[in-house]
């Protein structure tokens, strides 16, 4: 290849050597036999064959490097293509699901249109109520409204995946028209879009002035106990004398007297952080849940000794919240993957028996509660949904509907105050507690009832610790962002009696059953702080 070039002095002879001098230009480095005879002996040179081997070796290394890098990038792009094909398949399945849902939706509507009439029954009704009363547009509209509301929930939770597409907005507009159709003379839930509410209407719905009780509730610090390791949960017994709290994977048992905590013993059994504790209101018995994805029951023996049950495995799920029914015969656990499990409790044998599992979507659940009759269960968590479950039989619940939220945020905590009132602590930038009222079996938010909280720059609500409601004292204890609030209720109105600035989101708390003492684990001082609730 080099023989085609001229040597430095254009002798038209084959190249035999190359001068290794960076200051020379390309052809000036090439020497033929005649050039070599007259060239300075001080110059460093290299034979033609050696130079060719060097260039070929470098060229080979560059080629291998190019091949390796291109192969690596090609493999990544091939993987990307496979993922895109999987995404394409997934999207097609979702779209097919939309189409199938709308088919079933239309079928349900057609059932109303084609509903047969029983001649004898209709004749009886005509004679009893008259002809005009039976041609009832309101009842038909109500039936259509219920069907539209039921199916729109299933569509809405899928449409969120396509929020970036213009078609999603068009579908959403149609869904809004379907579920917002006015039903004449019907006192039914209204689905507000807060952005569409006029300024005048918002002003007219401002918070009502809250009447304070005759005596104000105040928190007074009375004790502090150091614990260097983080506490993730705590609970009190029904007599307000025993507190159990977590200390990483162990459980500490405390005696509480006049608000003063006294450490009793350490209980071990879990292999990871204990993140949930639930004390019985009937027995010296409590249940623990851990990040090791197990739960245990603990029974008190003589001389304050505690016996642990076997470890009950939850597969790949973690428990974020637990409740018992009133008779304490069943335990409900919920957490990751949107699963809710029901367990049978046996105090005497200190055992838990798995009964059933149900779920609606794979999103984390942070709070669950039962109504007074225990035939309705409500769950809240990620995916901006508060879900209503209806009891199907003794140990099974079925999904009923989702509560429409004005703020449309993830809900960290919820609590039923009674069968018809629900409060929610929304996640995100909101600084309020939402209050829902039930009408015609459906919960909807009463905007003017919102409980305003301290403004905070913290984005996440955290909501560490469940909302505590002491019905006997009409008192709520709520943790929102950096604050723990003591809230009193009187005649349906709520007033913030006192608040504790923890200066951080990461604090856990609980209150004694008699509502007299509040205990907070403070992350900054690494200690338990007990407060007495005083009426002033």
């Amino acid at each position: 290849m080099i023989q085609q070039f001229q040597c430095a002095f254009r002798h038209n002879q084959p190249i035999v050597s190359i001068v290794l001098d960076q200051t020379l230009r390309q052809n000036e480095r090439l020497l033929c036999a005649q050039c070599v005879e007259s060239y300075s002996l001080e110059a460093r040179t290299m034979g033609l064959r050696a130079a060719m081997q060097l260039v070929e070796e470098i060229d080979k290394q560059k080629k291998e490097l190019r091949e390796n890098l291109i192969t690596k990038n090609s493999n990544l792009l091939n993987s990307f293509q496979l993922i895109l094909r999987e995404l394409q398949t997934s999207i097609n399945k979702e779209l097919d699901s939309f189409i199938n849902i709308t088919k079933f939706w239309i079928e349900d509507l057609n059932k109303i249109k084609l509903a047969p009439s029983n001649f004898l029954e209709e004749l009886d009704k005509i004679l009893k109520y008259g002809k005009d009363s039976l041609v009832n547009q309101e009842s038909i509209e109500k039936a259509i409204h219920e069907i539209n509301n039921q199916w729109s929930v299933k569509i809405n939770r899928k449409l969120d995946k396509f929020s970036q597409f213009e078609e999603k907005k068009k579908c959403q507009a149609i869904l809004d028209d379907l579920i917002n159709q006015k039903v004449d003379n019907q006192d039914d839930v209204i689905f507000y879009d807060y952005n569409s509410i006029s300024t005048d209407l918002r002003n007219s719905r401002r918070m009502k002035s809250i009447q304070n009780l005759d005596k104000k509730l105040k928190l007074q610090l009375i004790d502090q106990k150091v614990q260097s390791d983080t506490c993730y949960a705590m609970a009190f017994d029904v007599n307000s004398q025993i507190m159990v709290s977590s200390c990483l994977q162990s459980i500490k048992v405390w005696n509480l007297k006049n608000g003063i905590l006294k450490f009793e013993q350490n209980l071990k059994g879990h292999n990871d952080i204990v993140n949930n504790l639930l004390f019985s209101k009937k027995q010296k018995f409590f249940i623990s849940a851990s990040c090791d994805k197990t739960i245990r029951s603990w029974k008190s023996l003589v001389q304050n000794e505690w016996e642990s049950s076997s470890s009950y495995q939850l597969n790949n799920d973690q428990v974020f919240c637990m409740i018992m029914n009133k008779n304490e015969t069943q335990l409900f656990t919920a957490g990751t993957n949107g699963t809710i499990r029901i367990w049978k409790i046996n105090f005497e044998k200190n055992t838990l028996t798995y009964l059933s599992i149900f779920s609606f979507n794979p999103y984390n659940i942070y709070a669950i509660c039962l109504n007074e009759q225990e035939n309705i269960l409500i769950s809240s968590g990620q995916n901006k949904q508060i879900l209503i479950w209806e009891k199907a039989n003794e140990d099974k619940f079925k999904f009923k509907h989702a509560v429409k939220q004005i703020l449309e945020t993830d809900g960290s905590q919820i609590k039923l105050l009674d069968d018809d009132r629900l409060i929610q602590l929304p996640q995100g930038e909101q600084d309020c507690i939402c209050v829902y009222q039930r009408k015609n079996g459906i919960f909807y938010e009463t905007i003017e009832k919102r409980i305003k909280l301290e403004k905070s720059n913290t984005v996440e609500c955290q909501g560490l610790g469940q909302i505590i409601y002491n019905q006997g004292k009409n008192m709520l204890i709520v943790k929102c962002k950096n604050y723990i609030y003591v809230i009193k209720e009187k005649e349906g109105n709520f007033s913030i009696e006192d608040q504790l600035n923890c200066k951080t989101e990461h604090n856990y708390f609980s209150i004694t059953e008699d509502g007299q003492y509040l205990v907070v684990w403070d992350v900054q001082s690494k200690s338990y702080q007990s407060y007495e609730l005083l009426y002033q």
Side-chain angles (χ1 to χ4, degrees):
M1 178 175 69
I2 294 182
Q3 282 84 342
Q4 65 181 314
F5 296 111
Q6 292 283 346
C7 67
F9 299 101
R10 299 182 180 277
H11 292 138
N12 292 323
Q13 295 185 25
I15 304 301
V16 296
S17 185
I18 297 172
V19 180
L20 303 178
D21 187 344
Q22 293 183 3
T23 62
L24 298 177
R25 304 175 73 177
Q26 292 182 356
N27 281 65
E28 292 174 349
R29 299 191 183 101
L30 306 181
L31 303 178
C32 64
Q34 185 176 345
C35 293
V36 170
E37 291 179 1
S38 59
Y39 211 81
S40 171
L41 295 177
E42 295 179 358
R44 293 177 60 240
T45 61
M46 176 184 288
L48 174 63
R49 186 177 298 277
M52 292 180 65
Q53 289 178 348
L54 177 62
V55 171
E56 288 175 357
E57 181 64 29
I58 296 299
D59 189 58
K60 181 180 178 182
Q61 291 178 11
K62 288 167 64 177
K63 183 179 180 181
E64 289 177 353
L65 181 60
R66 286 195 299 267
E67 287 181 353
N68 290 337
L69 292 175
I70 290 172
T71 299
K72 179 182 178 180
N73 283 269
S74 296
N75 289 338
L76 288 172
L77 285 171
N78 286 331
S79 299
F80 188 72
Q81 282 184 342
L82 288 174
I83 294 171
L84 288 177
R85 291 192 183 99
E86 291 174 359
L87 176 61
Q88 183 182 34
T89 302
S90 178
I91 291 174
N92 288 335
K93 286 181 179 179
E94 288 291 342
L95 295 176
D96 289 340
S97 175
F98 285 138
I99 293 170
N100 287 331
I101 287 175
T102 55
K103 286 180 180 178
F104 294 136
W105 193 337
I106 293 170
E107 286 178 6
D108 277 359
L109 291 172
N110 284 333
K111 287 177 184 177
I112 297 176
K113 181 173 67 175
L114 302 174
S117 298
N118 184 293
F119 170 74
L120 294 178
E121 288 182 0
E122 290 299 311
L123 184 59
D124 285 343
K125 290 177 182 177
I126 292 172
L127 295 174
K128 187 174 182 179
Y129 302 109
K131 180 183 69 173
D132 293 338
S133 63
L134 295 182
V135 185
N136 191 336
Q137 179 177 337
E138 178 185 340
S139 63
I140 297 172
E141 288 178 340
K142 182 178 180 181
I144 292 172
H145 176 78
E146 289 176 353
I147 290 173
N148 289 345
N149 191 46
Q150 173 189 354
W151 286 107
S152 66
V153 169
K154 296 182 179 181
I155 288 280
N156 268 322
R157 62 189 177 87
K158 291 177 176 288
L159 271 180
D160 287 342
K161 300 176 183 178
F162 300 91
S163 56
Q164 72 271 31
F165 295 101
E166 184 65 29
E167 288 77 7
K168 187 266 183 184
K169 298 178 182 177
K170 296 177 181 177
C171 289
Q172 190 66 58
I174 294 173
L175 287 175
D176 291 343
D177 287 342
L178 283 166
I179 64 175
N180 286 315
Q181 294 179 83
K182 181 174 176 58
V183 180
D184 294 334
N185 303 319
Q186 183 182 349
D187 186 14
D188 205 351
V189 58
I190 300 173
F191 298 108
Y192 293 104
D193 175 3
Y194 192 71
N195 294 324
S196 69
I197 298 177
S198 66
T199 303
D200 290 339
L201 181 57
R202 284 200 295 269
N203 290 338
S204 69
R205 292 184 170 202
R206 65 187 181 274
M207 294 289 289
K208 295 179 179 178
S209 59
I210 305 300
Q211 295 181 348
N212 291 326
L213 300 176
D214 294 334
K215 293 184 177 180
K216 197 81 172 175
L217 262 177
K218 287 291 182 181
L219 293 171
Q220 179 173 305
L221 180 65
I222 57 176
D223 189 32
Q224 187 167 340
K225 291 292 186 295
V226 174
Q227 176 178 295
S228 57
D229 294 319
T230 303
C231 168
Y232 292 94
M234 61 181 74
F236 286 94
D237 75 321
V238 69
N239 296 318
S240 304
Q241 296 175 353
I242 300 172
M243 184 183 85
V244 289
S245 64
S246 74
C247 180
L248 299 181
Q249 66 260 40
S250 64
I251 300 169
K252 286 187 173 182
V253 182
W254 305 79
N255 177 266
L256 181 73
K257 186 176 182 179
N258 298 324
I260 306 298
L261 287 168
K262 179 182 178 183
F263 175 73
E264 295 285 349
Q265 59 182 305
N266 231 8
L267 305 179
K268 295 187 178 294
H270 289 290
N271 298 319
D272 205 341
I273 291 171
V274 175
N275 62 346
N276 252 276
L277 292 166
L278 178 64
F279 223 120
S280 164
K281 298 184 186 302
K282 296 178 178 291
Q283 309 276 343
K284 281 192 175 181
F285 177 95
F286 70 90
I287 297 168
S288 60
S290 167
C291 294
D292 63 10
K293 300 171 184 175
T294 66
I295 57 176
R296 288 174 176 266
S297 58
W298 302 79
K299 181 181 179 180
S300 177
L301 303 176
V302 293
Q303 296 179 344
N304 291 326
E305 292 182 0
W306 293 85
E307 178 187 67
S308 171
S309 69
S310 300
S311 179
Y312 298 91
Q313 189 67 42
L314 298 170
N315 297 327
N316 291 321
D317 297 333
Q318 286 190 26
V319 172
F320 292 152
C321 51
M322 303 187 293
I323 58 172
M324 296 182 199
N325 63 352
K326 285 184 295 186
N327 293 331
E328 299 191 347
T329 56
Q330 290 183 342
L331 169 73
F332 296 76
T333 63
T336 54
N337 300 318
T339 56
I340 302 174
R341 287 180 169 85
I342 304 180
W343 307 78
K344 181 180 178 181
I345 302 172
N346 189 318
F347 289 120
E348 298 301 321
K349 296 182 179 179
N350 193 23
T351 59
L352 299 173
T353 305
Y354 170 76
L355 294 176
S356 64
I357 184 172
F358 51 98
S359 64
F360 181 75
N361 57 43
Y363 299 96
N364 292 346
I365 296 173
Y366 296 135
I368 51 176
C369 55
L370 284 166
N371 68 340
E372 189 68 16
Q373 300 176 49
E374 299 186 340
N375 60 350
I376 297 293
L377 184 143
I378 305 179
S379 65
S380 174
Q382 289 180 326
N383 201 31
K384 301 181 176 67
Q385 287 189 340
I386 301 173
L387 304 181
I388 308 296
W389 305 83
E390 191 175 57
K391 195 169 189 176
N393 54 44
E394 185 60 25
D395 57 6
K396 289 185 180 179
F397 283 74
K398 63 180 180 180
F399 172 74
K400 189 177 181 183
H401 65 85
V403 176
K404 185 68 176 180
Q405 300 180 63
I406 296 174
L407 295 179
E408 291 189 344
T409 66
D410 288 346
S412 60
Q413 297 300 333
I414 55 171
K415 193 73 175 180
L416 274 167
L417 304 183
D418 51 48
D419 281 349
D420 296 320
R421 291 183 304 157
L422 172 73
I423 61 172
Q424 176 216 15
L425 185 63
Q427 288 268 20
E429 298 178 351
Q430 285 71 30
D431 298 286
C432 67
I433 299 173
C434 299
V435 181
Y436 293 81
Q437 186 76 29
R438 188 175 74 155
K439 287 188 178 180
N440 300 321
I442 299 175
F443 284 97
Y444 64 97
E445 186 187 353
T446 308
I447 299 177
E448 61 267 27
K449 289 285 186 180
R450 283 184 188 168
I451 306 170
K452 292 182 178 179
L453 306 176
E454 288 289 337
K455 290 289 184 183
S456 173
N457 294 326
T458 305
V459 175
E460 292 299 324
C461 182
Q462 288 294 334
L464 303 179
Q466 305 288 312
I467 294 174
I468 298 174
Y469 179 51
N470 188 306
Q471 191 172 17
K473 294 184 179 292
N474 291 328
M475 178 175 62
L476 288 167
I477 308 292
V478 179
K479 171 78 164 62
C480 181
K481 299 178 183 177
N482 295 348
Y483 291 86
I484 294 177
Y485 297 90
V486 179
I487 301 172
K488 289 283 284 184
E489 180 192 9
K490 183 179 181 181
E491 298 177 355
N493 294 319
F494 299 90
S495 63
I496 297 174
E497 300 290 288
D498 202 0
Q499 59 196 48
L500 181 64
N501 187 355
C502 301
K503 300 179 182 178
T504 173
E505 298 175 25
H506 301 280
N507 298 83
Y508 290 80
F509 68 97
S510 189
I511 190 170
T512 54
E513 284 295 313
D514 58 12
Q516 188 173 359
Y517 299 103
L518 168 72
V519 177
V520 179
W521 188 85
D522 181 71
V523 69
Q524 290 189 328
S525 62
K526 299 287 185 181
S527 67
Y528 295 95
Q529 298 176 353
S530 60
Y531 295 83
E532 186 174 8
L533 283 80
L534 299 175
Y535 288 89
Q536 297 180 350

